[in-house]
Amino acid sequence: MTNTEEQTFLHGLEKKLWTSANKLLPSLDASQYKHVVLGLVFLKYVSDAFDMRRQQLMAQFQNPEHMYFLDPEDFDGGGEGADYQAEISEELEQRDYYTEANVFWVPPAARWEFIQNQNKVVITGEININDKTIRSVGQLIDYALERIEIDNPKLKGVLNKRYTQLQIEQSKLGELIDLISTIPFTHATLSSKDILGHVYEYFLGQFALAEGKKGGQFYTPKSIVTLIVQMLEPFKGRVYDPAMGSGGFFVQSEKFITEHQGKIGDVSIYGQEANHTTWQLAAMNMVIRGIDFNFGKQPASTYTHNQHPDLRADFVMANPPFNMKEWDTGVDDNDPRWQHGKPPSGNANFAWLQHMLYHTAPNGSLGLLLANGSMSSNTSGEGDIRKALIEADLVECMVALPGQLFTNTQIPACIWFLTKNKGARTAASGRKLRDRSGEILFIDARQLGFMKDRVLRDFSDDDLKQVSDTFHHWQSAPCHSALDAESSHVYSDQAGFCRSASLAEVQKHDYVLTPGRYVGAAAEADDGEPFADKMARFTSTLKEQFVESERLAAEIKNNLAGLGYEL
């Protein structure tokens, strides 16, 4: 998590870029604007990462101890010979030097310095690149993206090569290139990757606000993504999101692993997304971070064209569209995913849940954001599915969230956590898990968080830690070793916040999973006044208020009578 000084720096950068970009592209709507800006951010990001690796290689190649590729007879000791410089330049263009360091390969015509220099030329004239005549800034950018796709087959069909078709002044596009060039990369504690990654996520959030609700899709608040990732701890194994959007869960998983000294290479990323535009953005989001991924051959419906039919993931995370209707067109009623009951056509909540569960490995876990109705609804067989999930002992934890978390919906939400193995074992994080069979943890987080502005609520780092720590302490086998202070915390119920309930208790509540039913009310602080004395005082005060109320009512009647009105 960033500190106050870093936050100030990043917020200043956000304001500068968003305000300036809006002035440059006033004629575009959000759906077009998104691709214009994020496509250029993508080019800048991969190019800068490439340049940093290039500088590292240059330093190595100029060190005589590492000049294994040079002919000693060509080396004059000063590093200035023509043959020497030519060989250095040739080596710097070897793709393997970049890919071995998990750095995206950027062809010459797509490098930011080249684009920035040439965009001023094509505004007034034309240039020739590899026998192709470029006559506009839009053509220059499209060609750069085309070269990237050719050199990186995994991105084929991903990049949005439509800059030539934009109905805007070419000079404005050139100014936008210059604006993105001003993103500062020199900061005491933030890396260039952190800075540009933050810019990318910020723009995604702003576009979600600008576009509003679309087909039930909502931009997942970063704090909620962080909470699910912190609770599941995806250190090692396969991570899957069947409704991945722009890939926020994958980005946060990478950050979590990095912050906890894990290895990114220990995690495999799988995702699926039906919206072509969002599918493209997710792939770009992974590439700019050097995350390897498998998003299937194409954007497609998770229900009718499952891109990963044989996948069994260790961690499954998603924020699918809430209460999605008519989701089952073309889906077989006997689909093997519906192991706990056929979900109703009018609501896909339990279809998402069962799809995720079907793709969860035997020791895997899942975290799913759903509308609150999923915890109690008995409509069209939903109650029967929920009952089957509970009796199969798959539900591990339920978290009720506060309102006003989403930018474009007021639908109250909750998080379901399920696991296929509640038995004692060692988690991917290394924590020793106790046997939780027959238990469900309920957390009521509705009172947590703070208002970040007039309409939106958010969680603080402490809020996230309180919820995730509570879950982990409940899961963990008690350990009082001084060598493992974190594991020495023992879980205990907290009235109004959390409670561990047995399946028998849940059955008594007709299989309703709303945390408020189980955690009860928070105990009020004892002020030392005996209950009898307190009730006498309250009764006396109430009597005085009734007398005063009657006096005021009589006075109002008299005043109205004086004006010629009667009640």
Side-chain angles (χ1 to χ4, degrees):
M1 296 295 177
T2 53
N3 58 38
T4 303
E5 191 276 328
E6 290 172 349
Q7 286 287 356
T8 301
F9 169 81
L10 292 172
H11 289 163
L13 182 59
E14 291 169 359
K15 185 176 181 181
K16 170 188 174 183
L17 290 174
W18 186 253
T19 302
S20 301
N22 271 301
K23 289 179 180 177
L24 290 174
L25 302 177
S27 61
L28 299 181
D29 62 32
S31 60
Q32 290 178 299
Y33 189 7
K34 173 164 57 184
H35 284 292
V36 173
V37 174
L38 292 180
L40 290 174
V41 169
F42 168 79
L43 281 172
K44 181 72 164 65
Y45 198 116
V46 296
S47 187
D48 279 15
F50 178 87
D51 286 343
M52 283 188 282
R53 175 60 177 165
R54 189 182 180 90
Q55 292 301 317
Q56 292 173 356
L57 292 170
M58 179 77 78
Q60 291 178 20
F61 295 162
Q62 289 179 339
N63 183 340
E65 295 181 5
H66 297 282
M67 293 186 193
Y68 54 87
F69 59 86
L70 295 176
D71 185 339
E73 294 183 1
D74 292 333
F75 181 56
D76 62 5
E80 298 175 354
D83 291 340
Y84 165 77
Q85 293 297 340
E87 288 198 52
I88 286 283
S89 298
E90 184 178 341
E91 286 296 312
L92 288 173
E93 293 298 319
Q94 297 299 312
R95 182 184 182 125
D96 288 348
Y97 286 128
Y98 300 87
T99 56
E100 69 183 10
N102 201 29
V103 172
F104 188 82
W105 168 258
V106 183
R111 294 171 193 170
W112 191 260
E113 184 178 6
F114 178 83
I115 294 171
Q116 189 179 12
N117 291 338
Q118 298 303 318
N119 95 79
K120 297 175 177 61
V121 177
V122 296
I123 287 176
T124 56
E126 62 182 45
I127 60 173
N128 188 279
I129 310 174
N130 299 328
D131 297 326
K132 184 178 181 67
T133 302
I134 306 294
R135 296 187 174 89
S136 70
V137 180
Q139 242 187 318
L140 179 69
I141 299 169
D142 283 343
Y143 183 73
L145 294 171
E146 180 184 316
R147 295 307 309 176
I148 283 179
E149 280 196 351
I150 291 173
D151 282 2
N152 299 273
K154 197 165 188 177
L155 284 178
K156 185 173 179 58
V158 168
L159 304 180
N160 207 54
K161 306 182 292 296
R162 298 180 183 174
Y163 287 84
T164 307
Q165 303 169 24
L166 292 173
Q167 301 299 310
I168 59 174
E169 295 178 34
Q170 292 297 297
S171 60
K172 293 293 185 184
L173 203 48
E175 287 181 56
L176 185 59
I177 289 174
D178 290 337
L179 170 65
I180 291 176
S181 296
T182 66
I183 298 175
F185 293 103
T186 52
H187 189 273
T189 55
L190 289 170
S191 69
S192 58
K193 181 179 178 181
D194 290 333
I195 295 169
L196 202 47
H198 180 88
V199 169
Y200 194 90
E201 289 176 16
Y202 171 74
F203 272 103
L204 281 175
Q206 290 298 107
F207 291 129
L209 278 170
E211 291 184 84
K213 179 180 177 181
K214 274 195 170 183
Q217 297 178 8
F218 308 109
Y219 179 77
T220 314
K222 184 178 178 181
S223 60
I224 300 303
V225 176
T226 301
L227 177 60
I228 293 176
V229 170
Q230 283 185 189
M231 291 178 74
L232 290 183
E233 299 182 307
F235 274 105
K236 185 183 297 184
R238 298 169 297 276
V239 178
Y240 173 52
D241 183 346
M244 66 184 180
S246 59
F249 280 109
F250 304 137
V251 171
Q252 202 58 45
S253 295
E254 182 231 10
K255 290 182 178 177
F256 175 83
I257 294 168
T258 302
E259 289 173 0
H260 292 79
Q261 291 75 51
K263 297 179 181 178
I264 299 300
D266 288 343
V267 171
S268 301
I269 298 296
Y270 297 86
Q272 181 157 352
E273 173 61 41
N275 183 288
H276 186 270
T277 296
T278 313
W279 184 79
Q280 291 176 306
L281 292 175
M284 291 164 60
N285 210 359
M286 297 301 99
V287 169
I288 63 177
R289 290 170 169 81
I291 301 175
D292 193 24
F293 63 94
N294 181 345
F295 292 163
K297 296 180 179 179
Q298 60 192 359
S301 165
T302 300
Y303 296 119
T304 57
H305 294 87
N306 190 353
Q307 297 291 293
H308 309 287
D310 300 321
L311 174 66
R312 297 298 181 270
D314 302 287
F315 304 97
V316 187
M317 299 174 270
N319 171 27
F322 288 173
N323 305 322
M324 184 177 173
K325 302 181 185 302
E326 298 177 3
W327 59 272
D328 58 344
T329 302
V331 180
D332 190 337
D333 286 352
N334 297 315
D335 191 298
R337 290 173 290 183
W338 315 147
Q339 295 179 0
H340 303 280
K342 169 69 168 60
S345 298
N347 195 317
N349 286 343
F350 284 98
W352 286 112
L353 195 156
Q354 290 192 84
H355 170 88
M356 293 171 66
L357 195 58
Y358 179 80
H359 285 287
T360 301
N363 283 328
S365 299
L366 70 85
L368 172 63
L369 193 68
L370 285 179
N372 271 2
S374 62
M375 297 188 290
S376 58
S377 171
N378 288 315
T379 304
S380 304
E382 288 185 332
D384 293 332
I385 298 175
R386 188 172 56 252
K387 175 182 177 181
L389 293 168
I390 294 168
E391 291 191 336
D393 207 8
L394 294 167
V395 181
E396 182 167 33
C397 177
M398 299 297 300
V399 179
L401 298 172
Q404 296 179 268
L405 285 173
F406 295 88
T407 57
N408 41 18
T409 179
Q410 293 303 309
I411 298 175
C414 61
I415 309 175
W416 289 64
F417 289 95
L418 286 79
T419 183
K420 285 191 172 179
N421 182 2
K422 287 185 181 179
R425 60 187 175 89
T426 301
S429 63
R431 285 190 302 109
K432 300 293 184 181
L433 304 182
R434 67 181 181 86
D435 186 353
R436 291 102 59 216
S437 301
E439 299 177 46
I440 299 176
L441 176 65
F442 292 92
I443 298 177
D444 191 343
R446 289 177 298 170
Q447 302 306 313
L448 300 183
F450 64 97
M451 297 302 295
K452 59 191 288 188
D453 54 38
R454 289 188 305 106
V455 296
L456 282 177
R457 194 174 190 86
D458 203 357
F459 281 132
S460 68
D461 291 352
D462 288 341
D463 294 328
L464 298 177
K465 189 175 188 305
Q466 181 181 353
V467 175
S468 59
D469 280 357
T470 298
F471 179 53
H472 294 155
H473 296 160
W474 174 82
Q475 283 184 316
S476 298
C479 173
H480 302 282
S481 168
L483 298 176
D484 191 358
E486 182 65 24
S487 297
S488 67
H489 294 287
V490 178
Y491 168 84
S492 61
D493 292 339
Q494 182 180 333
F497 177 65
C498 63
R499 186 163 185 273
S500 181
S502 67
L503 294 189
E505 291 178 79
V506 177
Q507 289 166 354
K508 289 178 182 178
H509 284 280
D510 295 323
Y511 299 96
V512 170
L513 293 176
T514 306
R517 288 204 177 194
Y518 301 90
V519 302
E524 293 186 11
D526 185 3
D527 57 8
E529 184 178 9
F531 176 77
D533 293 347
K534 186 178 294 186
M535 281 301 297
R537 179 167 56 82
F538 284 159
T539 302
S540 175
T541 301
L542 185 60
K543 184 177 180 180
E544 292 173 1
Q545 290 172 343
F546 281 150
V547 171
E548 179 64 8
S549 174
E550 292 174 0
R551 185 188 68 77
L552 290 173
E555 189 173 328
I556 291 171
K557 287 181 180 179
N558 290 336
N559 289 340
L560 288 173
L563 295 172
Y565 298 96
E566 289 188 9
L567 287 177

